[in-house]
Structure formats: C-alpha cells, structure tokens
Amino acid sequence: MVLPLTEDMSLYREHELALLARAGDERAFTLLVALCEPMLRAQVARFRFPAAEVEDMQQEGLLGLLSAVRTFDPLREVSFRTYASACVRNRLLSILRRRAARATEVPVEDVSAVADVATLVIDPAATMQEKEDAAHTLSRVREMLTEREYAVFLRYLDGDAYTEIAAQLHMTPKAVDNALQRARAKLRRLF
C-alpha cells in the first residue's frame, strides 16, 4: 500500500508508519527514520564509540531500524519505538561482540598479548565505579518514578513482555504501556 502524495504522513503513528514502510512506502520510512533519529543517536552515544566510527555506527543503527521495520508485529503489544530501540541496540551489541571476539583471537605464541587482554577485561576499580554509578542512577530513577512506574520499569528492564508484567502486577497490558510511557518521559528529563 502506497499513500497518495497529498496525504499528511504526520497523522500516522509510528507502528502505522512501520507497516506502510514495510509495504514499500518510502515517505513513511523517511518519516520513521526522522522520528527515530534521536533514539539512534542516543543508542550510538550509549556505547561510546570512537568519534571516527560514530557515523559508521549510526549507519549500522539505521540497518537495525530497517530490520525493525521488516520484522515488527503490531500484535505483540509492544510499541514500535521500543521494538526498534531493541533492534538497534542488538545490532550495535552484535558489532561490539564481533570486534571483541576478533580482539581476543591471539596466536598462542603471543603470551604477552594474552596478558594485555586479560588486564583490559578485568579492572576491579572500574567495575566498582560502574556498580556505584549504576546504584546512584537507580536511586535517582527510584525517586522520580511512582511505585507502580518503578515496578513496571524494573520488570521491563529484566526483559519481561508487557503481558508478563501485566500478569505479575495485576494490571492490563495497556496500563503497563501507560506506566512505561510516563516513566520514559520522566527519565528523559533525568538524562
């Protein structure tokens, strides 16, 4: 299905744009990319790629977004933005894992390189600092969210589906989605 040229694409929600883009509507995909661009940039920035690689990683993020468009199922009770964010994050993580695997592939004869890799991987001070930072951030998040939003948010971070969260907290999937949307809005102000 392709929309007439006079149709105002801004009237469509993201999941509708995703379905139109999957059907071949280039304008829908272009608008979807524009709407998701801040999320793409945030995902790339989150992984702290070297400045020289940021543009390449943004392109990889776009490929993750394209994958989201091709595989999105509106019947799964998850917003397109959430699904797309997961696809982009997974794409970037996959690249990082491949790079890490290549970096640790060291000839057996090069014992000094193995020692260097082991030193880089385990840094107790950095690990402790990351734990403290995470605890501080979680504390700030807890202060900002209501009890219900916080409970939903934690289960969402654990990877639970909306329906699972709804069953655990005796809510409807729509109430779960609403709580997550409110939590996201509040967290955008924090970060």
Side-chain angles (χ1 to χ4, degrees), residues 82-156:
T82 300
Y83 183 73
S85 180
C87 288
V88 169
R89 181 179 61 248
N90 290 341
R91 176 94 183 182
L92 296 174
L93 282 171
S94 176
I95 290 167
L96 288 173
R97 285 186 194 113
R98 276 185 268 154
R99 287 184 182 175
R102 281 190 299 235
T104 58
E105 292 174 0
V106 180
V108 176
E109 301 83 30
D110 195 353
V111 177
S112 64
V114 172
D116 290 343
V117 169
T119 304
L120 291 173
V121 171
I122 302 172
D123 181 2
T127 302
M128 182 58 102
Q129 183 63 45
E130 286 175 9
K131 286 182 181 179
E132 289 174 7
D133 291 346
H136 177 71
T137 301
L138 194 58
S139 172
R140 289 176 60 197
V141 167
R142 177 67 191 104
E143 292 170 6
M144 290 186 75
L145 302 179
T146 66
E147 189 174 320
R148 176 179 256 190
E149 292 166 349
Y150 187 70
V152 169
F153 180 70
L154 287 181
R155 284 169 176 78
Y156 177 75

